[in-house]
Amino acid sequence: MGTFERIVILTGAGLSAESGLGTFRDEDGLWTKYDLADVATPEGFARNPALVQDFYNQRRRGAAAASPNAGHAALARLEKEYPGDVLTVTQNIDPLHEAAGTERLIHMHGELLQALCALCGDRHRWTEDITAELACPACAEIGGLRPDVVWFGEMPYHMERIYAALAACDLFVSIGTSGTVYPAAGFVAEARQAGAHTVELNLEPSDGVSMFHEVIHGPATEVVPAYVERLLSG
Ligand code: NAD
């Protein structure tokens, strides 16, 4: 398989599915139980903050109790052992990449285990429930804390760094993502324009499957370690 100098990996909910964390759009996914407009938009939060906090408090407890799987572990190994540059960009808000040891990581949709104060903008690591009675550790105001996650209609984080990495990469690998949520769904096109080889690893063909040079379908705990092994053995 040729050698690549700069690899960008994009991950989505499918990578964490086998760690027991629900995906959003699969048949029994979270969006079949909750309305996206209620729990993942600023308008939903303004309408019913308690419902939204409760939704993320449940997700936070689930994420704190989950362990990384063989897919996360393989990506951490790739970062450590690959002679070229590896950047992992995740849409996941769970902490499983870092728990597996990945260090060059961008959480483009924020992090469940972090609270953002909407009043002063400060961020704090947060492993407990967030409630309306809590005071921000920085400004001491009550009621401004929210999960530091990017809702629909909000700007994903670190986009400049991500687009710069995509423009310079020669391999782009998309893992466990349905290819429906932009801007992440557009990354494959950016990478192709930069001349990169593009690979999809997913349980089933994603919405953007035709954009990839190579597609490997199967569960992440199988296809990701196998693909990483291929990259590491040159
Ligand atoms: P998605 O739910 O839209 O798509 C998940 C994809 O993963 C599907 O294409 C599905 O076929 C595939 N998949 C399911 N099980 C798999 C497995 N075992 N192995 C490999 N692939 C598998 O998820 P997405 O594309 O990441 O959606 C984007 C949004 O969902 C993001 O905003 C993200 O923040 C959010 N999200 C995050 C988490 C998390 O942090 N763990 C969980 C759910 C949703």
Side-chain angles (χ1 to χ4, degrees):
M1 78 155 46
T3 31
F4 301 102
E5 282 181 20
R6 275 180 284 274
I7 303 176
V8 174
I9 313 263
L10 171 69
T11 67
L15 179 65
S16 295
E18 290 165 88
S19 290
L21 302 183
T23 60
F24 274 2
R25 286 175 187 74
D26 290 312
E27 247 164 58
D28 59 349
L30 293 167
W31 293 148
T32 62
K33 299 176 190 117
Y34 294 89
D35 191 337
L36 183 157
D38 287 338
V39 297
T41 63
E43 295 77 14
F45 186 53
R47 262 196 315 272
N48 192 345
L51 173 85
V52 177
Q53 296 288 16
D54 184 53
F55 175 79
Y56 287 98
N57 287 340
Q58 285 182 49
R59 307 272 83 71
R60 190 176 303 104
R61 285 183 217 147
S67 303
N69 63 46
H72 300 100
L75 294 176
R77 178 179 167 224
L78 180 71
E79 182 191 87
K80 287 210 169 47
E81 296 181 17
Y82 194 72
D85 192 69
V86 179
L87 174 69
T88 304
V89 178
T90 188
Q91 299 169 85
N92 294 345
I93 56 178
D94 67 54
L96 298 184
H97 277 297
E98 48 272 49
T102 292
E103 287 174 2
R104 293 203 62 223
L105 176 68
I106 296 180
H107 271 285
M108 65 177 286
H109 289 165
E111 299 178 50
L112 262 177
L113 300 192
Q114 205 158 268
L116 168 68
C117 177
L119 303 173
C120 74
D122 243 57
R123 294 185 155 85
H124 304 272
R125 181 172 161 79
W126 211 275
T127 52
E128 307 294 322
D129 287 359
I130 301 179
T131 59
E133 298 79 45
L134 291 173
C136 168
C139 70
E141 292 289 337
I142 290 172
L145 292 177
R146 55 164 277 185
D148 189 12
V149 302
V150 175
W151 286 324
F152 290 93
E154 296 182 325
M155 189 67 81
Y157 297 154
H158 310 297
M159 292 310 294
E160 259 178 53
R161 235 184 106 196
I162 296 170
Y163 281 121
L166 290 168
C169 76
D170 48 12
L171 174 64
F172 173 76
V173 188
S174 172
I175 304 174
T177 174
S178 58
T180 49
V181 178
Y182 282 84
F187 290 174
V188 60
E190 295 284 329
R192 272 192 90 118
Q193 276 168 28
H197 182 66
T198 56
V199 181
E200 166 166 297
L201 308 179
N202 204 46
L203 195 56
E204 58 191 15
S206 72
D207 282 9
V209 67
S210 63
M211 291 295 293
F212 291 88
H213 294 107
E214 198 181 340
V215 293
I216 302 170
H217 292 139
T221 55
E222 291 173 21
V223 295
V224 177
Y227 187 74
V228 164
E229 192 59 51
R230 244 175 82 189
L231 281 175
L232 289 176
S233 56

